[in-house]
Amino acid sequence: MLPDQSHLSLPFFDATHRQLGRDVGAWVAAIAPGIDESDDRAACRTWVSALGEAGYLRWCVPATFGGALDALDSRSLVVLRETLAFYSPLADFAFAMQGLGSGAITLAGSAEQKHTYLNAVARGDKIAAFALSEPGAGSDAGALTTTARKTADGWVLNGEKTWISNGGIADFYCVFAKTEPDAGTRGISAFIVDADAAGLDASRHIPVMAPHPLATVMLRDCAVPQTALLGAPNGGFKLAMQTLDIFRASVAGAALGFARRALLEATRHAQSRRMFGHTLADFQLTQAKLGQMAADIDAGALLTYRAAWLRDDAVARGSSSRISAEPAMAKMTATENAQRVIDAALQMHGGLGVRVGSKIESLYRDIRSLRIYEGATEVQQLIIGKHVLATASTVDTKGSDA
Ligand code: COS
């Protein structure tokens, strides 16, 4: 089963995206059925190796350090995640976390850091993780309390990071910690901490409704060398936000993959299920529902492709202007709409939809966390709202009120 990829003919994409979509679709369709996903951590390791071997992790890093293209290409990330998610949420997760976990190194790493980590990420030899959230700092990321204290040899980190994707299986963590505790968001720095660093404990696995590697990471007098500092001292908050700006559109891509799969499952079910002497698809009630689902998916898709295109276009033009509101709109709309689409698809399946082990039942669980991680819907609203306020103040309406 190959998904309909007609959306790749939209002008947001070029021939390389269309080819990438076809290639990864054929690849993942062939390999997914053979991968045992009953143990999420083992499955993620398998997916990282497979994605690395097939060359798809090269889209997570720039060409100089083993990547496919000179710079991260948001549209490729969206195409890859949308297609992987259609077949396997864990394949998508494994791919995405290699990008998010190494994104801060791509943006701000020294040549040596990039050489050490990015090449290995692209091959699938090192598993990456992004460690920002804490028990008291989720949406309010700036409230984090993990500290990094300067010593003669480097830094000593203390604190608790939680909800860390790939926690427990990662080879390294990009950790955000306070280096100037009284300076708010301007007192946070980023560090690369290897998983085997003394004082790092990622053994507390967090079980969740759609199982994937997730853990709490304790840092107790965790000493790292001076070279572990990532980017500018006290520039960590902005670096975290910039990293999220890149990957939020790709979360939207994953939501599209889930939603497209749910729509296909629902459509096929409606065409074959008989009731009252007809198929389910014969009823206008069903047709209206399918129509709404398709439109909801396309609304999220267009915002997603726009966000990715805007960023790629800015990079191509050498523009450093911030693009935050559009990825936020994409993530919010695509994930919220996907939740509604999957719920409608489940309803259409009736009892079959809630049977544990059915595709719709697992999609119903898989989509839920996408509305929370990498910035909950409410955070996206905040980002968009701030943008609206800032934009309004630049518009001059004098003389147009008469
Ligand atoms: N790019 C560059 N700089 C950014 C930025 C971005 N996307 N977003 C914020 N900044 C800068 C601001 O310009 C500001 O800079 P100055 O200190 O120079 O003025 C600074 O960072 C602080 O910004 P702001 O005041 O907007 O920060 P807040 O503490 O109000 O937080 C939100 C803003 C809520 C948007 C932020 O905390 C956030 O994104 N939270 C969600 C975190 C998240 O996604 N967690 C999931 C982790 S991965 S599962």
Side-chain angles (χ1 to χ4, degrees), residues 7-47:
H7 53 276
L8 293 179
S9 61
L10 289 167
F12 296 107
F13 298 105
D14 62 30
T16 58
H17 300 117
R18 287 187 264 283
Q19 188 62 47
L20 181 62
R22 277 194 294 274
D23 290 349
V24 69
W27 177 80
V28 65
I31 191 172
I35 294 194
D36 176 4
E37 296 192 339
S38 53
D39 174 341
D40 56 286
R41 287 196 267 187
C44 268
R45 284 203 179 91
T46 306
W47 272 118

Side-chain angles (χ1 to χ4, degrees), residues 97 100 130-133 137-143 162-165 183 185-186 214 237-245 248 322-325 331 372-376 378-380 382-383 386:
M97 291 307 139
L100 180 68
F130 182 80
L132 177 67
S133 300
S139 291
D140 185 6
T162 196
W163 309 115
I164 306 308
S165 291
T185 55
R186 292 183 177 189
L214 195 70
F237 186 80
K238 285 186 189 175
L239 180 56
M241 295 300 115
Q242 286 163 345
T243 308
L244 289 167
D245 278 347
R248 274 180 184 145
R322 184 170 142 186
I323 300 173
S324 300
K331 183 187 183 274
I372 299 172
Y373 74 56
E374 289 185 45
E378 293 72 12
V379 165
Q380 311 309 332
L382 213 68
I383 293 170
K386 279 185 184 180

Side-chain angles (χ1 to χ4, degrees), residues 196-331:
D196 59 4
L200 184 149
D201 176 4
S203 62
R204 260 165 60 197
H205 182 59
I206 307 172
V208 282
M209 62 197 281
H212 59 273
L214 195 70
T216 294
V217 179
M218 300 301 300
L219 298 154
R220 294 190 193 91
D221 290 331
C222 179
V224 294
Q226 177 60 35
T227 52
L229 179 70
L230 174 57
N234 298 321
F237 186 80
K238 285 186 189 175
L239 180 56
M241 295 300 115
Q242 286 163 345
T243 308
L244 289 167
D245 278 347
I246 297 177
F247 289 95
R248 274 180 184 145
S250 79
V251 181
L256 293 175
F258 293 167
R260 289 192 198 283
R261 180 64 184 264
L263 178 60
L264 182 65
E265 298 286 336
T267 307
R268 287 186 169 172
H269 177 71
Q271 285 168 330
S272 60
R273 173 81 170 135
R274 293 200 67 80
M275 60 173 66
F276 306 111
H278 299 273
T279 67
L280 196 52
D282 289 331
F283 294 102
Q284 284 191 339
L285 212 56
T286 306
Q287 291 164 18
K289 196 51 104 178
L290 291 172
Q292 184 64 50
M293 291 157 77
D296 279 348
I297 293 173
D298 276 4
L302 289 172
L303 285 175
T304 304
Y305 305 152
R306 175 186 72 163
W309 177 84
L310 271 174
R311 186 178 170 280
D312 292 341
D313 181 57
V315 171
R317 287 186 290 104
S319 159
S320 57
S321 61
R322 184 170 142 186
I323 300 173
S324 300
E326 293 83 357
M329 287 184 194
K331 183 187 183 274

